[in-house]
Amino acid sequence: MQEEAVQLEERGTALREAAAEGDVAAMRSMLRDPCTDLAALLMHTDMGGRTAFMLAAKGGYVEAMRFLLDHPSANAAAMMMHPGNYGPIALFLAAEGHVDAVRLLLDHPSADAAAMIMHTGTYGGTALSMPALGGHVHAMRLLLDHPDTDPAAMLAVRDNHGCSVLVAAAQFAAKSNDCCPGHRCAPLLFLLRRVAADPQPSDAQRAHTTRVMEALCWVYDEDKQGEMDNGDEEDERGEKKLSLFDDDQPDDVRDECIRLLLEHGAFAVPYTSPVMSRIICKVFAMARVP
């Protein structure tokens, strides 16, 4: 039995390596061995709980994913819903920008699309968090527009830190290296347009949208990240800086994000640049127009 376990470990490692490179020919060769428990091999995991199929999804290798799902020894439904050690299923990994891989997962005949879409990992987020953090609008659109998606429910999900996908998209905008504010804010604007504004937002709603506003406006200075573990006070361990609002040039996408956040009940962040002040004044002036 010990020898069989060692063989399974070796073959499982080789299969995962091939899947991580999208090498269908190599996987086909490995899965022809009549002496191997192929079902067990297909579900064998690494130390992070990831199967060969999950690694193929992470790389966006659609043909490799299709080959594994359609193999006679595969339990396709179980493969698609298998969670890694921290709860992410294959859809989480594919949603990091691999649109065709997301489409394959959601449209596969064995898929429980609704369950995959609303599956939450150990940290409480859904697959939508992944493209929000990475700025992948097309992947977000696929997830939100799928017939089995309840967009309102998906957008309302909070992770274990109380953050929604709106916060994730705002963090992407604030930390992205793209020099164009409009490009950086496009994912957040896409999501904000999906959220219906409440004419009388609750305190909880105001707190959440203000948190999105803060994430959009402020990030820790990357040069001082090393001081964050020294136990210093918050204002000493990392100097906050404005990123999207240093340039006093109009940007329709960025400014529309601010307008919608204020419309959704956000309070203006306490520290504002001239650019932010200009945007807020413009929004309030438009609100007073009869």
Side-chain angles (χ1 to χ4, degrees), residues 15 18 35 48 54 61 78 87 150 155 164 172 200 220 223-224 250 264 290:
L15 183 65
C35 298
M54 294 173 73
Y61 296 117
D150 180 344
L155 290 168
S164 70
F172 167 78
Q200 293 184 322
Y220 280 113
D223 295 334
K224 296 195 176 184
H264 285 61

Side-chain angles (χ1 to χ4, degrees), residues 44-45 59 93-94 122 140 143 157 180 184 187 196 216-217 251 286:
H44 195 266
T45 64
L93 306 177
T122 304
M140 290 194 293
L143 291 167
V157 171
C180 175
R184 295 161 65 173
L216 181 66
C217 296
D251 184 281
M286 291 175 63

